[in-house]
Amino acid sequence: MPGEDPKATPAPLAPPASGRLEALMAAVRDSGGRGPAPVEKWDPPDCGEMDLVIKADGSWHYMGTPIGRPALVRLFASVLTRDGARYVLKTPVEKVGLRVEDAPFLAVEMAVESAAKDAAKDATESRTLVFRTNLDDLVRCGPGHALRFARGGAPGEVVPYVHVRRGLEARLTRAVHLDLMAEGEVRDDGGVPMFGVASAGVFYPILPAADLDVSE
């Protein structure tokens, strides 16, 4: 074409979408790929956004298609973190954003872990609530792994979340939510009777005791 420099180097073509996913998989594997990665030690360049979505039901979708391989989802989850309000997958060589509809994980099972009996403590003070996520993380609720209760759409309705790691939460499924409420009790919290749950010596208020009959 007239006016073009014949010696100019053509701009590199962007890799196809499938190639970008494969490249990201390779980068995650190279970084370890087993268990939560030490993402806080890495400062890679930001490569923008990727068409990757974690749906509210906990499933991962790439370009509108569900990722049906649990091992691949666990691989990506190992490098999932927060960058302010943004969710990113972070490896030593790149950082890419993705969209999360609600929380990146679901808490799908709850158990009550009892500590050695202490005469000075009642049963609720010596127990720990343990949650299993849809990706088989075990989370012991307590300092560093707090429960959070967001307001739902109806009066008295709450939506519970538990902190898993590095700003990432798991939303409790309906069944686990009911199990949690069954462990609740009323305590005075700043002069207000509050319904909540205790775990690892911490009391987590859920809602005013006066609202209990509204939420049922």
Side-chain angles (χ1 to χ4, degrees):
M1 295 288 293
E4 288 187 348
D5 183 356
K7 296 181 180 179
T9 302
L13 296 175
S18 58
R20 188 177 186 195
L21 185 67
E22 293 294 332
L24 182 61
M25 288 167 53
V28 177
R29 288 194 180 100
D30 289 345
S31 70
R34 288 198 175 190
V39 296
E40 65 281 353
K41 298 180 180 179
W42 304 331
D43 187 23
D46 194 326
C47 297
E49 302 300 306
M50 195 171 188
D51 190 3
L52 190 61
V53 181
I54 304 176
K55 297 285 190 176
D57 65 2
S59 61
W60 290 54
H61 292 242
Y62 179 62
M63 298 189 68
T65 301
I67 298 176
R69 295 164 54 191
L72 180 55
V73 170
R74 287 184 173 84
L75 187 71
F76 285 151
S78 72
V79 295
L80 180 64
T81 188
R82 295 288 293 271
D83 186 7
R86 183 177 173 224
Y87 290 92
V88 298
L89 299 179
K90 191 176 181 184
T91 76
V93 297
E94 67 176 323
K95 176 173 64 177
V96 296
L98 70 160
R99 186 163 63 88
V100 178
E101 289 187 343
D102 188 352
F105 307 118
L106 294 177
V108 297
E109 189 176 359
M110 187 187 85
V112 179
E113 183 178 77
S114 298
K117 290 187 177 180
D118 186 335
K121 294 183 179 180
D122 62 28
T124 59
E125 289 296 329
S126 60
R127 74 179 181 192
T128 299
L129 303 178
V130 184
F131 298 93
R132 181 178 66 84
T133 75
N134 57 317
L135 297 183
D136 292 329
D137 295 288
L138 287 182
V139 183
R140 286 174 168 78
C141 179
H145 298 284
L147 281 165
R148 177 176 72 87
F149 299 92
R151 292 299 174 187
E157 181 185 3
V158 295
V159 182
Y161 299 83
V162 63
H163 180 248
V164 178
R165 59 178 177 270
R166 56 200 184 211
L168 307 175
E169 293 181 317
R171 190 187 81 248
L172 275 61
T173 62
R174 177 65 177 167
V176 176
H177 184 179
L178 293 174
D179 290 342
L180 180 74
M181 297 295 275
E183 297 294 331
E185 60 182 296
V186 175
R187 293 191 186 185
D188 181 85
D189 185 61
V192 179
M194 295 292 294
F195 178 78
V197 292
S199 180
V202 181
F203 181 69
Y204 298 97
I206 300 175
L207 72 169
D211 293 347
L212 280 176
D213 56 342
V214 176
S215 64
E216 295 296 331

